[in-house]
Amino acid sequence: MNSDNNDLARSDLEDAALFFHKHPTPGKLEIQATKPLGNQRDLALAYSPGVAAPCLAIRDDPATAADYTARANLVAVISNGSAVLGLGNIGPLASKPVMEGKAVLFKKFAGIDVFDIEIDAPEIERMVETVAALEPTFGGINLEDIKAPECFEVEEQLKARMKIPVFHDDQHGTAIIVAAAVLNGLEFAGKKIEDIKIVTSGAGAAALACLNLLVSMGAKVENIWITDRFGVAYKGRLDEMDRWKDPYVKDTEARTLADVITGADVFLGLSAAGVLKPELLKHMAEKPLILALANPNPEIMPEEARAARPDAMICTGRSDFPNQVNNVLCFPYIFRGALDCGASAINEPMKMAAVRAIASLAREEPSDVAARAYSGETPTFGPDFLIPSPFDPRLILRIAPAVAKAACETGVATRPITDFPAYIDRLNRFVFRSGLVMKPVFSTAKTAASKRVIYADGEDERVLRAAQVVIEEGIAEPILIGRPHVVDVRLKRYGLRIRSGTDFELVNPEDDPRYRHYVDLLIELGGRRGVTQEAARTLVRTNTTVIAALALKRGDAHAMICGLEGRFERHLRYVSLIIGPREGVRDRDLSALSMLISTRGATFFTDTYVSVDPTAGEIAEMTVLAAEEISRFGIEPKAALLSHSNFGSRDSPSALKMREAAEILKRIAPDLQSDGEMHADSALSEILRQRVFPHSALKGEANLLVFPNLDSANIALTTVKQMMDALHVGPILLGTDKPAHILTPSVTSRGVVNMTALAVVEASQKAVATLRTA
C-alpha cells in the first residue's frame, strides 16, 4: 500500500471513529437506574425519606456499603492525560474518549461499572490528593495514561494512603501479559526463568513493571539489562536516571543495545519502531522470545524477525499479528476478583496468580468464541500462540477466581470468598447468559444415564466444538455425521483434541454399514407419503438430517440435533415424516418454543417456527406442551395468550380465537397459570393487568407468551432479540415422539451445547416415563 492509500485509509478510519463517537448519542457511556422509580413509593424508598436507613446503616458499619450501594462494583478510571498511548501529553479533556473506552471494556468483559474521571492535575501532590479523596465513592482505582516517572510516585503514595485496590494498568496490566508470554515462551523453549538473560529497549513505566514482576517470578536482576534512548543504564549515567531504574544499573563498558544483545533469551521492547535491527537477532540465544510492543509499529516487524531468526517466538501489541499483548486480557478480570472479595489492595501474589492463569489458559484448546476472533486455522499453544485471545470467555473464569483466592490467602480480602465453586458458577452465568436458566438442565443432564445424541451437521465447526464440551462435561455421548477425512482435518485446524472412534462415534454418509437398514426403514415410513425406493436411497446417502432421524427412530441414538444449515421447513418435513408426533399429539400440533434471555431474565415465546395459523385448539395444545418444557428449567410457567384485544376490548376473528384458546386451556390444564386474550404489556406487568382486569387468573409477570399466528410470534421474537441484545435458546421442537431439535444457521457452539443438554433431559425423562408405564 503506497503513502496516498495509507493516508486515505487513515482518513476513512478517523471519519468513522468520529461518527461512531458522535452518533446516536455523544460518547460511549450512560448511567442507568437499577431500581424502579415508577411510583411515589419507589421515589420515597430511593430518596427521601427511605434513603436515611441505608445511610445510617453504613455510618454504623462502613462495610455494609457493599450491601446497600454500588460501591463494591464501581471502579474509577482516572487520568491526567499526560501520557496517552500514541498521542502523548494531550491533557485531561482530550483523554476522555480513551477513558470512556476503558470504562466500556470493564463493563463488557467483566460487568464492572466505571466512572471515568479526567483531572487537571499535572503535579504529583495534586493528583494524589484528588484521587485519595475519592476513596468513599469507589471499590477500586484504575490509573491510566500518566507519564513516567510521576506515575510511580503517584501509585506508590496512593497505595500507602488508600484501603482499596490502586492499579496502574499501563504498568501492571502490560507486565502481567508479558510475564504470561514469557512463562509460555520458556515452556516451549525448554528454559528456566532463573537462567535467562533479558534485554529491554525502553525503561518507562511499563518496561520497569514488567521487569519487576519477572524478578518476583524468579528472574535474576544480574541477568537483566535495560536500554533506552540514552543507551545502556550503566553506573554513573546521569541522563534520565531515577530510583526505579537503579536496581538494574550495571557497572559496564557497554553503551548500546548491540553491546548487550548477545546471548539474550528475551528481548522486551517498549520503545520505538525499528529499534531492533534484524542483524542483532542473530546474536540472541536459541529460540529467543521477542516482545516488540511499541505501537503502532513495533521495534521489529514480525516478518523481518522471522526471516532473521526462524526459531524466534514473536509478540507485538498489534491485533493483526499473533501473540498480541493486550491489557484487556487481564485488567477487567483482576478487578473482578479483587472487587468480589473486597480486596484492600492488588498485591504481588494476586498479580502472579493472574499471570499463571493466563499462561495456563493459552495451553488449553481455544473456545469457539475465541476462534471467531481469528480467520483461517485456529491457533493452538506454540510459538504463534503464547497468549490467549482477548475474546476468550474463559479469561474471567480463570483469572478472577485465581486473583480472589490469592487475595484471601494473603489477607487483603475484607469479604473472603468461602465457596469458590459457587463463585465460579456465578461468573459462568455472566459469561454465558444462559447459565442461570440452563443450570438445572445441565445438572439433570450430567446426572442422567448416558445418552447418545446424533448431530446431523457433524462437519460444522460449531458442532465439533460443542462435541468436545459435551464430552468434557459428561453431558452426552456424541455421534457425528460427517466424512472422516473432513472431520479429522477440521478437528486439527480448530485445535480440538477429540478424535473419532476414540471420543465419539462418526457416521460416514458415504459408507455406513447400516445403509440398507436405513433405506428400508425410510421406505416403510414414507412409502405412502411419496418416498420412492430411488428417492430413499438418495436421501440416505446425501441428507444428513434424514440419516440422523432414521438413527433416532431405529434406536441408534436417543436424541438428534440438526438445522445448522438450510431452511427450517425442509428439516421439519423429514423430522415429521420419520420421527413423527408423540402419542396424543397430531402432526399439526407440533410447535416450536423459543427462549430469550436478557437483563430482565428468561421469557419464552411460542409458536415461533412451525404453525402458520393455528386453531384455538392447537394454540391450547401447544401452550400445554410449552409449559411442560418450561418446567424442565425449574421454572413455573405462567402463560399469557396475546392479542391486539385486551380482555374483550375487540371482537376480531384473531381476538375471538385467542379468547376461545384461553377457555380451552382452562379446561385441559386447570393447574396452569394462564389467561388471555391480552396485550403484551398487560402480560408483562401485573400493575397494568390489574387496571384492565383485576380478576385475572394470571399472577405476577408472564414468562410464556403465546401468539395467535407464526407472523406475530416470529416477528416479536426476532425484534425483541435484536433490540435487547438477548440470547436465544432454541428453537425447541415440541410434540415429537423422540427428542429432535432443529436449530437455525445463526446458532453458536454454546447454543448447540444448550440444546444438547435439553435433548438429553427430554430423552432421560421419556425413558423414566416408559419404565413407569411398562
Side-chain angles (χ1 to χ4, degrees), residues 466-666:
Q468 176 151 305
V469 174
V470 164
I471 292 168
E472 289 178 345
E473 296 192 9
I475 296 170
E477 296 178 19
I479 305 169
L480 275 56
I481 300 175
R483 294 161 294 176
H485 66 283
V486 174
V487 170
D488 290 344
V489 167
R490 291 182 179 179
L491 286 171
K492 184 177 180 180
R493 178 189 302 166
Y494 303 138
L496 302 174
R497 68 168 180 270
I498 57 173
R499 295 292 178 263
S500 63
T502 304
D503 302 299
F504 62 90
E505 181 183 338
L506 184 63
V507 175
N508 181 2
E510 297 175 344
D511 183 22
D512 188 83
R514 294 161 291 195
Y515 170 74
R516 291 184 179 179
H517 298 290
Y518 284 4
V519 170
D520 291 342
L521 179 57
L522 181 56
I523 293 171
E524 177 187 340
L525 295 169
R528 292 182 181 274
R529 298 176 66 177
V531 179
T532 65
Q533 291 188 13
E534 184 61 31
R537 285 193 288 269
T538 301
L539 286 169
V540 176
R541 280 281 189 232
T542 61
N543 192 306
T544 56
T545 294
V546 168
I547 298 170
L550 289 168
L552 179 58
K553 184 71 174 180
R554 194 169 177 262
D556 296 334
H558 299 101
M560 68 172 281
I561 304 288
C562 66
L564 277 75
E565 294 181 3
R567 295 183 179 277
F568 186 93
E569 312 89 79
R570 180 171 62 87
H571 297 289
L572 179 62
R573 183 167 63 249
Y574 292 121
V575 169
S576 298
L577 171 68
I578 298 167
I579 304 301
R582 76 188 195 193
E583 187 177 351
V585 176
R586 299 171 298 175
D587 271 337
R588 281 179 56 84
D589 288 343
L590 293 184
S591 59
L593 176 69
S594 291
M595 175 170 61
L596 288 186
I597 304 169
S598 66
T599 53
R600 64 179 294 123
T603 306
F604 296 84
F605 295 64
T606 195
D607 174 14
T608 49
Y609 281 90
V610 179
S611 306
V612 176
D613 189 15
T615 66
E618 289 166 350
I619 288 172
E621 290 288 347
M622 74 172 63
T623 304
V624 172
L625 292 174
E628 179 184 299
E629 189 68 31
I630 292 170
S631 297
R632 298 187 203 278
F633 294 90
I635 297 172
E636 180 189 1
K638 298 181 179 182
L641 279 63
L642 303 184
S643 173
H644 68 282
S645 172
N646 205 20
F647 295 104
S649 63
R650 300 283 294 274
D651 287 330
S652 67
S654 173
L656 292 173
K657 180 174 71 171
M658 297 306 283
R659 199 176 303 164
E660 181 184 353
E663 293 301 321
I664 295 171
L665 193 57
K666 289 177 184 177

Side-chain angles (χ1 to χ4, degrees), residues 88-106:
N89 187 358
I90 61 175
L93 181 59
S95 75
K96 189 172 181 63
V98 180
M99 303 312 128
E100 284 190 356
K102 193 79 172 210
V104 297
L105 293 178
F106 267 107

Side-chain angles (χ1 to χ4, degrees), residues 157-181:
Q157 291 189 33
L158 288 174
K159 282 184 172 181
R161 291 180 59 169
M162 303 181 79
K163 295 180 181 179
I164 58 174
V166 177
F167 187 82
H168 185 204
D169 184 48
D170 299 321
Q171 293 183 55
H172 309 300
T174 302
I176 287 165
I177 309 304
V178 164

Side-chain angles (χ1 to χ4, degrees), residues 127-404:
M127 188 164 196
V128 169
E129 290 299 325
T130 302
V131 176
L134 297 173
E135 182 168 352
T137 301
F138 297 100
I141 302 292
N142 184 95
L143 299 174
E144 193 77 17
D145 292 349
I146 305 167
K147 70 183 182 75
E150 287 89 337
C151 61
F152 300 118
E153 191 67 46
V154 168
E155 185 187 41
E156 188 175 87
Q157 291 189 33
L158 288 174
K159 282 184 172 181
R161 291 180 59 169
M162 303 181 79
K163 295 180 181 179
I164 58 174
V166 177
F167 187 82
H168 185 204
D169 184 48
D170 299 321
Q171 293 183 55
H172 309 300
T174 302
I176 287 165
I177 309 304
V178 164
V182 169
L183 284 188
N184 279 344
L186 298 181
E187 171 79 15
F188 188 80
K191 300 177 182 179
K192 296 181 179 179
I193 192 168
E194 59 267 25
D195 299 329
I196 62 170
K197 179 180 179 180
I198 302 170
V199 174
T200 78
S201 173
L208 292 173
C210 291
L211 296 178
N212 293 340
L213 186 56
L214 290 172
V215 169
S216 296
M217 302 192 75
K220 299 294 180 61
V221 172
E222 56 266 29
N223 295 336
I224 296 173
W225 297 73
I226 62 173
T227 69
D228 55 22
R229 63 187 178 131
F230 293 101
V232 174
Y234 61 88
K235 189 174 182 180
R237 196 182 101 175
L238 300 178
D239 295 312
E240 286 194 5
M241 297 301 294
D242 52 55
R243 65 185 177 94
W244 291 280
K245 293 177 187 174
D246 285 348
Y248 303 105
V249 169
K250 298 289 189 293
D251 187 359
T252 177
E253 297 298 319
R255 293 295 183 265
T256 67
L257 176 63
D259 294 336
V260 297
I261 196 73
T262 299
D265 300 280
V266 175
F267 169 82
L268 173 60
L270 285 151
S271 54
V275 168
L276 184 61
K277 306 301 180 184
E279 56 268 22
L280 296 183
L281 269 63
K282 298 177 181 179
H283 301 288
M284 294 184 72
E286 182 183 0
K287 294 182 179 178
L289 174 60
I290 300 166
L291 295 138
L293 307 183
N295 263 322
N297 297 313
E299 285 77 5
I300 187 169
M301 294 300 289
E303 57 270 23
E304 292 182 280
R306 186 75 68 199
R309 287 298 298 265
D311 63 334
M313 295 166 281
I314 307 160
C315 302
T316 70
R318 292 172 46 152
S319 60
D320 53 345
F321 293 114
N323 293 325
Q324 182 193 16
V325 175
N326 189 331
N327 289 10
V328 78
L329 277 162
C330 71
F331 73 79
Y333 316 119
I334 289 175
F335 270 97
R336 180 74 279 159
L339 292 173
D340 289 340
C341 68
S344 58
I346 295 175
N347 57 28
E348 288 300 301
M350 292 164 72
K351 288 188 283 186
M352 287 190 281
V355 170
R356 295 190 181 98
I358 294 167
S360 177
L361 181 57
R363 301 172 195 172
E364 300 181 26
E365 296 86 354
S367 72
D368 65 304
V369 176
R372 288 200 295 272
Y374 299 94
S375 58
E377 293 195 8
T378 306
T380 55
F381 178 63
D384 289 331
F385 194 69
L386 300 174
I387 309 170
S389 163
F391 296 99
D392 195 320
R394 297 171 295 180
L395 285 162
I396 192 172
L397 302 176
R398 304 293 190 274
I399 300 172
V403 168

